Amino acid sequence: MSDRILINGIALVLQGGGTRGAFTAGVLDVLMEHGIQFNYVIGTSAGALNAVNYISGDIGRSRKVSTELMLDRKFVGKWNMIAHRGIFNFDYLFHVVPKTKLPFNAQAYESSNVTFVVAATRMEDGFPVYFNRKDFDDFYPAIAASASLPLVSRPVKVGNGYYLDGGVGAAIPFRKPFADGYQKAVIVETRALGYEKPNPSKKKLRLAKFLYRRFPGFLDGYRIEGDIYNKDEELILRLQADGKAFVIRPDVPPQVTRTEKDQKKLNALYETGRQVMERHLEDLLVFCGVRHE
């Protein structure tokens, strides 16, 4: 690993996207290999999960979570809906996997001074909520809430409220760091340029209405998640044009589903993330003020 390069005053923003997060895993591994550490990291869903391993400095761990662990029935499967409130068993991921399958540098994670924020969607009103690690003794429920995908997950209790995937209202959670006073952000997206997200189909809306009938506010937000995403992407492009955002994204649309299990596809997407980041590394360092043009 190279000598550490600390980036202060610029936020690192990580989009979700389920197993499309394999792209982000590749990007973050390259950053870690070059010793590049941002002091503010915010993620949604898979972006939040990847952020944990970035903060701990565990190079290659997110790749294994995105590829190898997707074949582990203890982690992902419909049978988890009964015992673990969602298709993903996050208790297994957070508390068992680090001791058995994939070692995790918990000491480095816990001792890190990096500001770590995750986005989730509040079931009460469908609005995005941002949880900051410094406000929690146990941050893992907030991460689990951020990564609990609608339609295949039950709401997760965090504090006194219930939450789901931050992707409904903050799939790319760039607004929060700017609201916190940051003037620039490096944004890692898992969709290619030009992607327009549709609103949920009638079939998905019917299922959501059945599953989350106690939460009409969430349903209101879920109905227009595509509109929210597309407006956010328009703003990101403006920020990019103004020199306030540096965006890293796949060159072509990833051919994986949000719960993809094809290891060949996932490993290829990981390698794509590495290649894109390596190609843009010098430009990134210029954007961050580490290098001069």
Side-chain angles (χ1 to χ4, degrees):
M1 180 185 292
S2 303
D3 293 337
R4 293 186 70 192
I5 300 173
L6 299 178
I7 307 296
N8 295 306
I10 299 176
L12 177 62
V13 179
L14 308 176
Q15 182 178 3
T19 48
R20 287 189 295 275
F23 174 85
T24 304
V27 170
L28 296 182
D29 276 356
V30 170
L31 292 180
M32 286 188 280
E33 288 165 4
H34 288 272
I36 300 171
Q37 178 66 68
F38 289 81
N39 74 336
Y40 183 113
V41 182
I42 182 169
T44 292
S45 195
L49 297 176
N50 281 327
V52 172
N53 297 315
Y54 173 69
I55 294 170
S56 71
D58 282 303
I59 297 173
R61 192 172 188 274
S62 285
R63 176 183 189 169
K64 292 180 179 179
V65 171
S66 299
T67 58
E68 297 175 12
L69 211 60
M70 285 302 296
L71 301 180
D72 188 338
R73 293 186 177 184
K74 293 180 181 178
F75 174 51
V76 57
K78 295 179 180 178
W79 42 87
N80 286 327
M81 289 293 295
I82 297 174
H84 304 289
R85 305 184 65 82
I87 193 172
F88 296 108
N89 180 353
F90 290 113
D91 287 336
Y92 178 69
L93 175 64
F94 296 146
H95 303 298
V96 178
V97 170
K99 300 175 182 178
T100 58
K101 289 178 174 288
L102 300 176
F104 173 66
N105 193 340
Q107 182 177 359
Y109 172 78
E110 295 295 342
S111 63
S112 171
N113 292 321
V114 171
T115 298
F116 179 27
V117 181
V118 302
T121 300
R122 187 164 48 210
M123 299 303 295
E124 181 181 3
D125 55 18
F127 292 161
V129 173
Y130 302 97
F131 296 117
N132 192 316
R133 178 175 61 157
K134 69 179 179 62
D135 297 326
F136 292 80
D137 293 327
D138 180 5
F139 198 45
Y140 289 112
I143 300 172
S146 178
S148 292
L149 302 175
L151 307 186
V152 293
S153 304
R154 301 180 191 179
V156 177
K157 189 174 184 180
V158 182
N160 295 320
Y162 287 89
Y163 304 85
L164 272 178
D165 176 30
V168 173
I172 311 172
F174 69 99
R175 291 180 181 270
K176 175 60 174 172
F178 282 101
D180 285 344
Y182 284 76
Q183 300 298 310
K184 299 173 75 174
V186 172
I187 303 173
V188 182
E189 299 190 9
T190 55
R191 293 286 194 179
L193 180 64
Y195 171 75
E196 294 186 6
K197 187 173 184 177
N199 286 322
S201 65
K202 291 182 179 180
K203 181 179 179 180
K204 288 183 177 180
L205 288 174
R206 286 196 297 269
L207 179 58
K209 188 174 182 179
F210 171 75
L211 293 173
Y212 310 124
R213 53 191 176 277
R214 292 173 46 218
F215 303 102
F218 171 80
L219 295 173
D220 289 340
Y222 181 63
R223 287 188 186 96
I224 59 170
E225 68 168 353
D227 295 335
I228 295 171
Y229 180 96
N230 297 332
K231 289 179 181 177
D232 279 355
E233 184 61 27
E234 289 178 3
L235 180 53
I236 288 171
L237 291 175
R238 290 201 296 272
L239 291 170
Q240 188 177 15
D242 292 339
K244 295 180 179 180
F246 188 95
V247 184
I248 304 160
R249 57 168 71 90
D251 296 324
V252 297
Q255 299 302 307
V256 301
T257 67
R258 67 178 183 173
T259 56
E260 184 66 60
K261 292 188 178 184
D262 187 320
Q263 282 189 299
K264 185 176 180 179
K265 289 183 179 180
L266 292 169
N267 278 311
L269 185 56
Y270 167 83
E271 293 297 338
T272 297
R274 288 189 61 89
Q275 293 163 11
V276 171
M277 187 66 262
E278 289 281 11
R279 193 169 71 243
H280 293 295
L281 187 61
E282 286 302 315
D283 290 337
L284 171 68
L285 293 174
V286 170
F287 176 83
C288 294
V290 177
R291 297 273 197 276
H292 297 290
E293 293 185 270

